C-alpha cells in the first residue's frame, strides 16, 4: 500500500504541470495497436485531463481493425512502404471502420467514464483538407490544410473531440490519412501545447535500446538522417518534428503501460520520449 504521505506527494508533484497546462490544448493520438490492452486506462486519463482544466483532443486511426474487416469482406489488404493501398472499395471499409466502429467505441467509453466526447471525421466541417499523396496508393491522402474551427467549437463547449484520420479532397473524395500526420497537423492548427503519440514501444530508443528521455529537434533530425530510427518510429518522429513548428513539446509514449499519459504529463521525469525545440 502506498502511504498517505506518498499519495499526497504524487498530487503535489503534479501541481506545477496542472497549473502550466490549465486551459491548454493537448492533441493525443492513439492507434489500433496501442489502445488495445489499455483502452480503459488511457481514456480515463483523458477524462482526467479534461477535469483538471486541459483541453484534450483525441485523434485515432484504426489500421488493425481496417485490415480485419477487409479480410472478413474478402478484400486483400496491400501495403507499400507501410502505407495501405486504398482503392474506392478499401476507402469504404476505412470509412465504415473508423467512423462506424472505432470512433463510436472510443466515444462510448469516454462518455461512460464521464467525458462528454463527440466523434467526428476530418471530413466534417470540413476539418481536414487532403490531396492524394501518391497516385500509386490511390486514396491515401496528405494533409493540405486543417480548419480547426469545428474542433475549437466543441472544446469551447466542454466536449472532448474524437477525430478520425480521414480527410476531404477538393475533388469531394474522402482520403485515408496516416493518423500520426493528422494529429501533428491538427496540433499545429490548434496551436496546441502538446502533441502526444501513444504507441506500442517505450519511446525512441538509442543504440543500446534505452529510451531517449528528451530529444532536441536537431538531434531528432540527425537520428532520422543517419537511419538511427526504424520502421514505424520514423513517421512518428517525423510527425513530432513537424509539430514543433508550432507546438513546444511532442511526446512519444507507451500506450501499453497503464496510465502512461498521466505519468508523462504530471511527473518531472515522464515515462517516454519528449521531443523539444
Ligand atoms: N511532465 C512534464 C511535461 O509534460 C515533463 C515530462 C518529461 N518527459 C520526458 N519524457 N522527459 O512537460
Amino acid at each position: 500500500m502506498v502511504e498517505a504521505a506518498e499519495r499526497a506527494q504524487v498530487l503535489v508533484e503534479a501541481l506545477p504541470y496542472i497549473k502550466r497546462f490549465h486551459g491548454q490544448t493537448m492533441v493525443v493520438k492513439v492507434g489500433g495497436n496501442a489502445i488495445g490492452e489499455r483502452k480503459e486506462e488511457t481514456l480515463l486519463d483523458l477524462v482526467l485531463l479534461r477535469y483538471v482544466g486541459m483541453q484534450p483532443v483525441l485523434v485515432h486511426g484504426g489500421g488493425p481493425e481496417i485490415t480485419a474487416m477487409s479480410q472478413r469482406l474478402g478484400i486483400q489488404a496491400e501495403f507499400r512502404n507501410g502505407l495501405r493501398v486504398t482503392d474506392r472499395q478499401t476507402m469504404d471499409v476505412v470509412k465504415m471502420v473508423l467512423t462506424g466502429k472505432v470512433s463510436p467505441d472510443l466515444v462510448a467509453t469516454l462518455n461512460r467514464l464521464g467525458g462528454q466526447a463527440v466523434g467526428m471525421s476530418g471530413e466534417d466541417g470540413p476539418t481536414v483538407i487532403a490531396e492524394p499523396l501518391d497516385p500509386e496508393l490511390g486514396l491515401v491522402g496528405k494533409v493540405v490544410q486543417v480548419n480547426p474551427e469545428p474542433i475549437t467549437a466543441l472544446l469551447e463547449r466542454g466536449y472532448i473531440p474524437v477525430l478520425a484520420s480521414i480527410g476531404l479532397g477538393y475533388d469531394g473524395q474522402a482520403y485515408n490519412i496516416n493518423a500520426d500526420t493528422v494529429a501533428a497537423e491538427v496540433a499545429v492548427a490548434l496551436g496546441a501545447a502538446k502533441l502526444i503519440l501513444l504507441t506500442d514501444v517505450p519511446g525512441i530508443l538509442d543504440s543500446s535500446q534505452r529510451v531517449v528521455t528528451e530529444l532536441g529537434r536537431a538531434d531528432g533530425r540527425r537520428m532520422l538522417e543517419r537511419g538511427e530510427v526504424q520502421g514505424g518510429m520514423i513517421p512518428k518522429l517525423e510527425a513530432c518534428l513537424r509539430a514543433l513548428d508550432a507546438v513546444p513539446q511532442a511526446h512519444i509514449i507507451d500506450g501499453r503501460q497503464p496510465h502512461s499519459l498521466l505519468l508523462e504529463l504530471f511527473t518531472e521525469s515522464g515515462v517516454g520520449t519528449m521531443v523539444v525545440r
Side-chain angles (χ1 to χ4, degrees), residues 29-98:
K29 182 263 170 176
V30 292
N33 295 327
I35 194 106
E37 22 189 329
R38 296 294 176 189
K39 182 171 163 192
E40 194 88 7
E41 283 97 333
T42 302
L43 298 180
L44 195 58
D45 291 358
L46 220 64
V47 172
L48 195 144
L49 295 191
R50 180 71 197 84
Y51 277 95
V52 295
M54 295 165 201
Q55 303 201 312
V57 175
L58 186 62
V59 176
H60 67 89
E65 292 90 340
I66 294 165
T67 301
M69 183 55 77
S70 298
Q71 275 166 1
R72 275 166 71 179
L73 295 171
I75 302 168
Q76 189 63 40
E78 187 191 335
F79 290 88
R80 268 177 228 164
N81 295 325
L83 295 168
R84 184 186 308 274
V85 179
T86 308
D87 58 10
R88 265 167 210 277
Q89 203 184 20
T90 304
M91 191 60 226
D92 283 345
V93 179
V94 171
K95 263 201 203 189
M96 287 193 293
V97 170
L98 295 189

Side-chain angles (χ1 to χ4, degrees), residues 222-233:
R222 210 168 300 131
M223 285 183 87
L224 281 175
E225 281 162 18
R226 293 189 185 151
E228 289 166 8
V229 261
Q230 269 104 43
M233 196 47 84

Side-chain angles (χ1 to χ4, degrees), residues 149-168:
E149 215 277 328
I151 300 175
T152 51
L154 288 172
L155 288 173
E156 275 161 21
R157 298 285 171 118
Y159 293 105
I160 301 177
V162 176
L163 180 73
S165 63
I166 296 172
L168 179 65

